[in-house]
Amino acid sequence: MVAFARKLWNRFNYFLRALTRDFNYVTDQFFGLDWLVVLAGVRFGSEHVKLRRCWNVYRWLIYLPLIVVFWNLVVNLVNRAKLDLVLSCLLGVVGGIVAALRALLVLWYYEPLQEVRRYYLQEELGNCVELHVEFLHIKNKIRPMLNATFVIVFYSTALTLASGAIYLSQLKFMTIFSLVILCYCVGVALECFCITRMVNTMSESNASIAQKIYNLEWPKNLEYDETYNAEYHSVRKTMTTVMVMAQQPLRLNCFGLFEFTQDKFYELLNMAYSLYTFLKNFV
């Protein structure tokens, strides 16, 4: 038995060495967003043949549970099962579809997101102005993706919370699956709260830039001198540009439907509760 285990371990080590023998540190090393798209099974930029082969197997395996849950949903609908069973399957299907849609959005806007990752901060005013303009330009590139993500998150979170509450309220005792459902619902709600909080912070920070520059004493201290004519006009132009651009809204408004702020999160909770009370009548 020990010899068999040792032989199996040696074969495993040999496989790992063969798998990483041609490791390319340029294309096979990932950070942040790259890891997310690899784990989601939507993009893998490696040129390593064996790694790509393993990843292709992995990307198909991760979607098998979604197919199984969808099949259970269809079976329960055909057999006219109880609503709590249907909603539990619907919860899994919605979660899988939302994850797939968000992964596709990330893949579609992958290059603009890479620009966001390369964005950095500096302290000099001139560089800050340039970076602020660059930030707004990058934000405009990924704004459609953000708005689409916000719409998906808003409505899927409301449906998830209502469905999860219906399922959990019908249980007579807790199970491992019910704990998973509870943790999933809490995680979805927490994610939505963090996103709305982030949008609030970004909007407030963007609006405060113009106010802070306006409150500076630069109009009084900036005196015109013929010797520094170019510098004088450059500083005035810089200050004016920052104030004008900072007064523009970020337009993270879900394609004009609503502003995805923290107040909208509380409305989402009310919507989820209303949906819960409506569905509860059919249980």
Side-chain angles (χ1 to χ4, degrees), residues 49-108:
V49 177
K50 292 183 179 179
L51 283 178
R52 289 197 62 85
R53 190 177 302 162
C54 294
W55 180 74
N56 285 329
V57 175
Y58 162 79
R59 71 187 301 192
W60 287 107
L61 289 177
I62 60 175
Y63 291 106
L64 286 179
L66 179 60
I67 298 175
V68 174
V69 174
F70 180 76
W71 176 253
N72 288 335
L73 175 62
V74 174
V75 171
N76 287 329
L77 288 175
V78 172
N79 295 333
R80 296 184 178 181
K82 292 183 178 180
L83 183 60
D84 55 339
L85 294 177
V86 175
L87 290 178
S88 65
C89 295
L90 180 63
L91 198 64
V93 172
V94 170
I97 292 176
V98 168
L101 288 176
R102 294 175 67 176
L104 290 176
L105 284 173
V106 170
L107 182 62
W108 185 268

Side-chain angles (χ1 to χ4, degrees):
M1 186 67 182
V2 176
F4 175 76
R6 186 180 294 110
K7 183 178 180 181
L8 187 63
W9 177 254
N10 291 334
R11 292 291 298 272
F12 179 72
N13 285 332
Y14 174 78
F15 174 76
L16 287 181
R17 288 195 298 270
L19 189 65
T20 58
R21 185 178 301 149
D22 302 323
F23 192 84
N24 188 335
Y25 285 92
V26 177
T27 60
D28 299 339
Q29 197 164 358
F30 307 98
F31 300 94
L33 180 63
D34 296 322
W35 274 112
L36 293 178
V37 294
V38 168
L39 292 176
V42 295
R43 188 180 188 277
F44 187 41
S46 174
E47 298 176 356
H48 196 292
V49 177
K50 292 183 179 179
L51 283 178
R52 289 197 62 85
R53 190 177 302 162
C54 294
W55 180 74
N56 285 329
V57 175
Y58 162 79
R59 71 187 301 192
W60 287 107
L61 289 177
I62 60 175
Y63 291 106
L64 286 179
L66 179 60
I67 298 175
V68 174
V69 174
F70 180 76
W71 176 253
N72 288 335
L73 175 62
V74 174
V75 171
N76 287 329
L77 288 175
V78 172
N79 295 333
R80 296 184 178 181
K82 292 183 178 180
L83 183 60
D84 55 339
L85 294 177
V86 175
L87 290 178
S88 65
C89 295
L90 180 63
L91 198 64
V93 172
V94 170
I97 292 176
V98 168
L101 288 176
R102 294 175 67 176
L104 290 176
L105 284 173
V106 170
L107 182 62
W108 185 268
Y109 291 94
Y110 183 78
E111 290 303 325
L113 287 173
Q114 291 295 93
E115 294 184 24
V116 175
R117 191 177 70 171
R118 292 190 290 265
Y119 181 79
Y120 62 94
L121 298 177
Q122 296 183 10
E123 295 184 358
E124 293 82 359
L125 181 60
N127 289 333
C128 286
V129 173
E130 294 178 2
L131 290 171
H132 186 62
V133 174
E134 181 184 352
F135 167 75
L136 294 178
H137 177 67
I138 295 174
K139 183 266 301 179
N140 289 333
K141 284 186 176 181
I142 65 172
R143 189 177 65 241
M145 186 209 73
L146 293 176
N147 285 329
T149 301
F150 294 160
V151 171
I152 294 173
V153 168
F154 182 80
Y155 290 106
S156 64
T157 300
L159 181 59
T160 298
L161 294 180
S163 302
I166 288 290
Y167 176 77
L168 294 174
S169 64
Q170 300 302 311
L171 295 178
K172 296 181 179 179
F173 53 88
M174 296 296 291
T175 62
I176 298 297
F177 182 72
S178 62
L179 289 177
V180 172
I181 293 294
L182 178 61
C183 293
Y184 176 72
C185 292
V186 172
V188 167
L190 183 61
E191 179 198 33
C192 186
F193 173 80
C194 292
I195 292 176
T196 55
R197 180 61 182 168
M198 177 195 68
V199 174
N200 259 29
T201 303
M202 290 178 61
S203 300
E204 292 171 0
S205 299
N206 184 65
S208 66
I209 292 176
Q211 187 64 32
K212 288 184 178 180
I213 293 181
Y214 181 80
N215 291 333
L216 294 176
E217 296 183 353
W218 65 270
K220 182 176 66 175
N221 296 331
L222 186 64
E223 298 180 356
Y224 178 77
D225 191 330
E226 188 68 31
T227 307
Y228 302 100
N229 178 56
E231 289 79 2
Y232 174 83
H233 289 289
S234 176
V235 172
R236 288 189 63 89
K237 181 180 179 181
T238 298
M239 295 295 189
T240 306
T241 301
V242 173
M243 288 190 294
V244 170
M245 296 192 65
Q247 290 175 355
Q248 298 178 2
L250 296 178
R251 291 193 294 171
L252 300 176
N253 54 7
C254 300
F255 302 109
L257 296 175
F258 50 81
E259 291 286 341
F260 200 63
T261 58
Q262 204 162 358
D263 293 335
K264 203 63 184 178
F265 174 74
Y266 301 128
E267 293 183 19
L268 181 147
L269 296 180
N270 291 329
M271 180 190 298
Y273 180 74
S274 300
L275 185 59
Y276 163 75
T277 55
F278 172 76
L279 294 175
K280 193 175 181 180
N281 297 325
F282 298 93
V283 177

